[in-house]
C-alpha cells in the first residue's frame, strides 16, 4: 500500500489569553491567573510555523483578503453533507483527512461551479486533467459534476502529485503536493529544484502562494468555531446573528467581514515569536454539564463541573468538584463550549463527539462529558 510519510511542518500558533480561577484543595485558596494558552494550528498533522515572520505575514494577508466568511452559514450546511463522505474517500486513498477542506476553498461544495478558465465541479478539475484521468468531458457530458467520479479523480491526482515529487525531486510534503494541485506538478517540481522544499519560503504566483493558507484558515474556522464565536461575540455559523445575513446557498460571491478578520489577526500577532510546544499525548478527564437550560441561546453561560482532577500546561491543577462557567454556541444542533484553553482542552460527549446535543442541554439536569486534555512535554513549558 502506498504510504504517505510526509512530516513537513506547516507550523502555526495562536496564543489565546486565559483568565482562570484555580481552587487549591486543603488551603481552600482561590486565585485568578492572567495566563496565555497556546492555540496550535496544524495542517495534515503538523504544526504550521507562524513563529516565522514571513509565514505570519502571509497568513494575515489571507485572513484579511481571502477567507470566505459571509457565506459561512450556508456553506456549513453544504459542508455537513459532503465532509464526512469526502473524508471516507481520503482514508481509502491513503490521504490525510485535512484535505476534505480543499473543496470548500475550490468551490464551496457546489457541484456545478465553474471557473473562468474552465475548471469545474466541487474539485475544480480542468478539462484536460479530467480526460487524462478517464472522465468524460464534452458532447453534452461532463463527469466532473459527478461527485463520486470527480472525488476519485481528485484523490488519485493528489496522490500522484505526492508520488511524482518523490520521483522527480527525491522528497515530498503535503504543502507541496497540495500546491501542485493548484499550480500543476511540473511547475512545482521546477520550483522545488530552484528554491528547495519549503512551500512557506517559496516565491510562487499569488494564488498558489496563498492556496495552502486558505485551506488552513477554513479548517480552523470549521473545527474550532466556539473559540472564535466567543471572541467575535456572535455565532459565525448562525445566518441571523451578528453581521451575517441570509444568503442564497448558490451564491458564490463573498466579501470579508472586518470584525471577524480583525479578531483572528490579533491572535496571530500575539505569538509571532513563539515556538510551538511538543505534544506528548491526549488524556480524557471526566466531568459533567449542569443542564436543564430551557431557554438556552448562543453565548449563554453553562456550568461545567470536574469529576476528576484536571492539570493543564498553563493553568496548573484544578481539583475534582471545581465548577466554572463557560459560553456555549449552537453548531448543527449541538452545543460547543469555549472552555478558555484554546485547543488544549475540548469538551466531548461520552462517545467522544465534540459538544453535547442541544436537546440534552435543554432537558437533562446532568450531562456526563469528557474533557480532552492535551499533555505537553515538560521542556516545552515556558
Amino acid at each position: 500500500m502506498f504510504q504517505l510519510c510526509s512530516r513537513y511542518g506547516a507550523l502555526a500558533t495562536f496564543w489565546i489569553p486565559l483568565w482562570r480561577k484555580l481552587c487549591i484543595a486543603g488551603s481552600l485558596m482561590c486565585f485568578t491567573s492572567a495566563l496565555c494558552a497556546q492555540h496550535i494550528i496544524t495542517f495534515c498533522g503538523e504544526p504550521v510555523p507562524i513563529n516565522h515572520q514571513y509565514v505570519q505575514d502571509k497568513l494575515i494577508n489571507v485572513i484579511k483578503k481571502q477567507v470566505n466568511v459571509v457565506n459561512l452559514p450556508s456553506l456549513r450546511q453544504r459542508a455537513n453533507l459532503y465532509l464526512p463522505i469526502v473524508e471516507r474517500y481520503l482514508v481509502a486513498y491513503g490521504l490525510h483527512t485535512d484535505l476534505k477542506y480543499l473543496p470548500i476553498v475550490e468551490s464551496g461544495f457546489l457541484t456545478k461551479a465553474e471557473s473562468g478558465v474552465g475548471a469545474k465541479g466541487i474539485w475544480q478539475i480542468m478539462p484536460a486533467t479530467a480526460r487524462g484521468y478517464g472522465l468524460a468531458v464534452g458532447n453534452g457530458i461532463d463527469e466532473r459534476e459527478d461527485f463520486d467520479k470527480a472525488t476519485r479523480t481528485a484523490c488519485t491526482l493528489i496522490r500522484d502529485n505526492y508520488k511524482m515529487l518523490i520521483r522527480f525531486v527525491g522528497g515530498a510534503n503535503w504543502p507541496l503536493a497540495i500546491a501542485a494541485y493548484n499550480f500543476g506538478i511540473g511547475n512545482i517540481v521546477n520550483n522545488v529544484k530552484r528554491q528547495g522544499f519549503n512551500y512557506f519560503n517559496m516565491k510562487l504566483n499569488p494564488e498558489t502562494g496563498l492556496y495552502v493558507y486558505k485551506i488552513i484558515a477554513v479548517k480552523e474556522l470549521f473545527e474550532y468555531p466556539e473559540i472564535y464565536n466567543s471572541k467575535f461575540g456572535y455565532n459565525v455559523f448562525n445566518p441571523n446573528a451578528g453581521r451575517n445575513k441570509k444568503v442564497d446557498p448558490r451564491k458564490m460571491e463573498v466579501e470579508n467581514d472586518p470584525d471577524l478578520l480583525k479578531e483572528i489577526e490579533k491572535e496571530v500577532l500575539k505569538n509571532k515569536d513563539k515556538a510551538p510546544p511538543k505534544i506528548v499525548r491526549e488524556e480524557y478527564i471526566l466531568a459533567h454539564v449542569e443542564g436543564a437550560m430551557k431557554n438556552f441561546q448562543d453565548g449563554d453561560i453553562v456550568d461545567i463541573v470536574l469529576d476528576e482532577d484536571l492539570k493543564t500546561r498553563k493553568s496548573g491543577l484544578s481539583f475534582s468538584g471545581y465548577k466554572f462557567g463557560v459560553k456555549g454556541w449552537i453548531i448543527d444542533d449541538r452545543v460547543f463550549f469555549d472552555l478558555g484553553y484554546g485547543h488544549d482542552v475540548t469538551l466531548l460527549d461520552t462517545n467522544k463527539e465534540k459538544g453535547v446535543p442541544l436537546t440534552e442541554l435543554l432537558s437533562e439536569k446532568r450531562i456526563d462529558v469528557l474533557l480532552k486534555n492535551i499533555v505537553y512535554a515538560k521542556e516545552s513549558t515556558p
Side-chain angles (χ1 to χ4, degrees):
M1 176 181 289
F2 175 67
Q3 298 290 332
L4 295 184
C5 56
S6 165
R7 290 295 180 267
Y8 183 77
L11 313 186
T13 61
F14 282 10
W15 289 80
I16 301 178
L18 175 62
W19 296 81
R20 305 288 298 167
K21 186 178 287 183
L22 302 177
C23 295
I24 307 300
S27 64
L28 299 180
M29 295 176 60
C30 293
F31 62 95
T32 300
S33 239
L35 299 173
C36 292
Q38 191 173 40
H39 179 116
I40 299 174
I41 297 177
T42 62
F43 179 62
C44 293
E46 293 294 335
V48 180
I50 197 87
N51 52 309
H52 297 301
Q53 185 64 46
Y54 58 87
V55 176
Q56 176 198 154
D57 291 343
K58 292 187 76 171
L59 181 57
I60 290 175
N61 182 53
V62 74
I63 287 170
K64 283 182 175 179
K65 299 180 180 180
Q66 304 295 331
V67 178
N68 299 342
V69 291
V70 168
N71 284 347
L72 279 178
S74 58
L75 182 60
R76 182 90 181 186
Q77 293 173 6
R78 295 195 299 276
N80 286 340
L81 297 175
Y82 286 110
L83 286 175
I85 304 172
V86 170
E87 188 168 320
R88 293 179 66 182
Y89 280 84
L90 294 170
V91 171
Y93 279 80
L95 305 176
H96 199 284
T97 55
D98 278 0
L99 302 183
K100 66 187 176 185
Y101 296 105
L102 190 153
I104 294 178
V105 171
E106 287 287 354
S107 67
F109 279 118
L110 294 174
T111 57
K112 295 184 180 296
E114 185 169 7
S115 74
V117 295
K120 196 170 187 180
I122 67 167
W123 295 93
Q124 289 292 281
I125 302 171
M126 293 293 288
T129 301
R131 294 187 187 100
Y133 279 85
L135 297 185
V137 178
N139 298 321
I141 300 174
D142 196 335
E143 291 185 329
R144 293 176 296 172
E145 297 179 7
D146 183 297
F147 175 84
D148 175 68
K149 293 181 179 180
T151 301
R152 290 179 183 276
T153 297
C155 289
T156 304
L157 175 57
I158 294 169
R159 189 170 63 180
D160 286 351
N161 286 344
Y162 197 97
K163 289 180 177 180
M164 284 189 278
L165 282 166
I166 295 174
R167 177 182 176 184
F168 292 118
V169 292
N173 58 63
W174 282 114
L176 289 178
I178 300 310
Y181 186 88
N182 175 260
F183 195 29
I185 187 62
N187 291 323
I188 293 300
V189 165
N190 290 336
N191 276 278
V192 169
K193 290 178 179 178
R194 292 195 303 267
Q195 303 183 55
F197 287 87
N198 187 349
Y199 164 83
F200 296 99
N201 198 36
M202 281 180 163
K203 293 181 180 180
L204 300 167
N205 68 76
E207 181 181 342
T208 306
L210 296 176
Y211 190 66
V212 173
Y213 290 86
K214 293 182 185 181
I215 301 172
I216 293 169
V218 169
K219 177 196 173 207
E220 184 72 4
L221 286 169
F222 269 74
E223 293 193 0
Y224 292 92
E226 72 279 9
I227 294 175
Y228 297 103
N229 285 341
S230 292
K231 293 186 174 297
F232 309 146
Y234 64 89
N235 188 340
V236 298
F237 292 111
N238 182 345
N240 300 313
R243 296 170 58 91
N244 292 315
K245 300 177 181 179
K246 290 185 178 180
V247 294
D248 186 336
R250 298 166 297 179
K251 183 180 178 183
M252 287 299 293
E253 294 80 9
V254 295
E255 59 187 78
N256 289 322
D257 180 332
D259 293 341
L260 184 74
L261 305 180
K262 184 185 297 183
E263 290 298 329
I264 301 177
E265 182 178 352
K266 286 179 182 177
E267 297 302 329
V268 174
L269 288 171
K270 282 178 185 176
N271 270 326
K272 61 180 181 179
D273 298 320
K274 306 282 178 145
K278 181 179 179 181
I279 297 174
V280 175
R281 69 180 187 278
E282 296 176 351
E283 63 181 13
Y284 294 89
I285 306 299
L286 295 175
H288 67 271
V289 175
E290 295 188 346
M293 300 187 64
K294 295 183 178 179
N295 298 313
F296 177 82
Q297 296 180 355
D298 276 328
D300 284 353
I301 301 297
V302 178
D303 287 330
I304 311 293
V305 182
L306 297 180
D307 295 326
E308 294 182 315
D309 296 348
L310 171 66
K311 185 175 182 180
T312 62
R313 182 173 59 92
K314 296 295 276 185
S315 293
L317 180 64
S318 297
F319 290 92
S320 176
Y322 173 53
K323 178 193 290 190
F324 55 105
V326 300
K327 287 185 177 181
W329 302 92
I330 302 171
I331 310 290
D332 307 327
D333 297 322
R334 297 180 68 84
V335 181
F336 290 7
F337 301 95
D338 177 13
L339 302 181
Y341 298 91
H343 286 44
D344 285 3
V345 184
T346 308
L347 187 145
L348 314 174
D349 65 15
T350 52
N351 293 319
K352 295 186 178 180
E353 185 175 353
K354 192 170 185 179
V356 298
L358 176 59
T359 53
E360 289 189 11
L361 186 64
L362 296 175
S363 60
E364 300 292 333
K365 293 183 178 180
R366 172 188 170 120
I367 308 168
D368 291 324
V369 297
L370 300 172
L371 302 184
K372 184 177 76 171
N373 182 37
I374 303 298
V375 179
Y376 297 92
K378 291 182 179 180
E379 61 269 23
S380 298
T381 305

